[in-house]
Amino acid sequence: MSTSSKLKKVFKNSREIDFDDTSKIVIMSDCHRGIGTEGDNFYKNKNIFIAALRHYYNENYTYIEIGDGDELWENSSYSQIINTNKDVFKLMAKFHQRKQLYMLFGNHDIIKKDDYIRNYIMKGYFDEHKQRYIPLFPNIIIYEGLILKHKETNNKIFITHGHQGDFLNDNAWKITKFLVKYLWHPLESIGIRNPTSAATNNNKKQCIERKLINWTKKNHQMLIAGHTHRPVFPHIGEHLYFNDGCCTKPRFITAIEISNNSISLIKWSIKVNKDRTLYIERDILAGPTKLIDYFDNANYLN
């Protein structure tokens, strides 16, 4: 199935979530949370992620994680990922308790859609130190796509991971998972890049981006995705494809914020004070731009 056909199918079956001018939403993806080993690219940014998520929790944001939140190709045990990142999952659970958490699956954590994973592994865990059960995400639903629908204008923002239609990462994901775990993951440890990965292969990255951009132009539909690990924030009238980047770059993570009916691309990174102490800061890379300006120009895109 082509990218266009697959996205059309996901869009048709996606749950719609209402938002308005007072809504505050943050979108992140591609955390690839692992088990703290040398190849765990999230672990080195873990404190940045926690600082950012605490900010969004305190500011009453809804958190939408749009796929590849957990690295379940290179790691077989989801329970071990949770055990390694208890502080992260406890913080995310606070959003879930306030009904302000939505999770989508990507290609690297596609098994989250499995009933056993959702109903048992993600539900919670037993804390050996405290000798009690810690609930995390009871009754959570893992989506392939979501649609944010503005209450007044009915304008829609389609959100999905972005691997759809990429044969190796969608249709043949089980084969690719096997190759990543037993071939490319060991080779990457000695500097050989995985050619099947959109995150490391620029030609593949550009090919996927062209397909996603063309879909937004053809359907006059705003799309926010991840998957490629490259942030995209278009100018008004250019196209309607946005990408939130990832959480695995050296010493920084990126996100997309929607607030005051505007959209922004955000970077959270480690910086150094004059007294040589470290701190984590939020910077705006692009925006804020009014969403209505994109929607008003949507019908003029070729």
Side-chain angles (χ1 to χ4, degrees), residues 32-178:
H32 293 274
R33 289 179 290 267
I35 57 174
T37 56
E38 184 178 352
D40 185 347
N41 291 320
F42 171 76
Y43 206 69
K44 59 181 68 74
N45 286 339
K46 183 176 177 179
N47 288 333
I48 303 176
F49 181 83
I50 290 174
L53 216 57
R54 281 177 179 166
H55 165 82
Y56 292 124
Y57 181 79
N58 292 335
E59 294 296 320
N60 200 34
Y61 274 74
T62 292
Y63 175 47
I64 305 179
E65 190 168 272
I66 65 172
D68 286 4
D70 301 297
E71 181 48 69
L72 290 164
W73 278 9
E74 297 176 5
N75 305 295
S76 300
S77 173
Y78 195 8
S79 296
Q80 192 173 356
I81 293 175
I82 292 174
N83 188 62
T84 303
N85 298 282
K86 289 177 182 176
D87 45 359
V88 173
F89 284 101
K90 286 179 180 178
L91 181 53
M92 292 172 62
K94 290 184 177 181
F95 285 87
H96 184 58
Q97 292 165 8
R98 292 201 310 203
K99 301 187 185 303
Q100 290 177 304
L101 173 70
Y102 296 92
M103 298 180 75
L104 279 63
F105 64 80
N107 48 310
H108 280 251
D109 57 1
I110 194 171
I111 66 169
K112 283 182 182 176
K113 65 181 181 179
D114 182 85
D115 288 344
Y116 176 79
I117 296 294
R118 292 187 297 102
N119 295 333
Y120 293 94
I121 306 299
M122 298 185 70
K123 186 177 181 180
Y125 69 96
F126 184 77
D127 190 308
E128 295 287 350
H129 178 69
K130 295 182 178 180
Q131 284 295 298
R132 65 184 179 90
Y133 182 80
I134 307 297
L136 291 176
F137 313 112
N139 303 314
I140 195 166
I141 300 173
I142 309 297
Y143 301 95
E144 184 169 8
L146 289 173
I147 295 172
L148 301 179
K149 181 180 178 182
H150 196 275
K151 289 181 179 180
E152 295 182 6
T153 65
N154 291 324
N155 289 321
K156 296 180 179 181
I157 303 172
F158 178 37
I159 304 175
T160 193
H161 183 62
H163 67 289
Q164 289 81 2
D166 178 353
F167 180 77
L168 290 174
N169 289 298
D170 188 6
N171 309 78
W173 71 268
K174 291 183 179 180
I175 296 173
T176 308
K177 174 187 176 182
F178 177 85

Side-chain angles (χ1 to χ4, degrees), residues 9-23:
K9 180 180 179 181
V10 176
F11 181 82
K12 181 180 179 181
N13 294 323
S14 291
R15 175 184 172 182
E16 291 189 355
I17 301 169
D18 289 336
F19 78 105
D20 57 32
D21 293 355
T22 66
S23 299

Side-chain angles (χ1 to χ4, degrees), residues 36 63 145 149 213 266 294:
Y63 175 47
K149 181 180 178 182
I213 287 170
I266 305 299
Y294 285 106

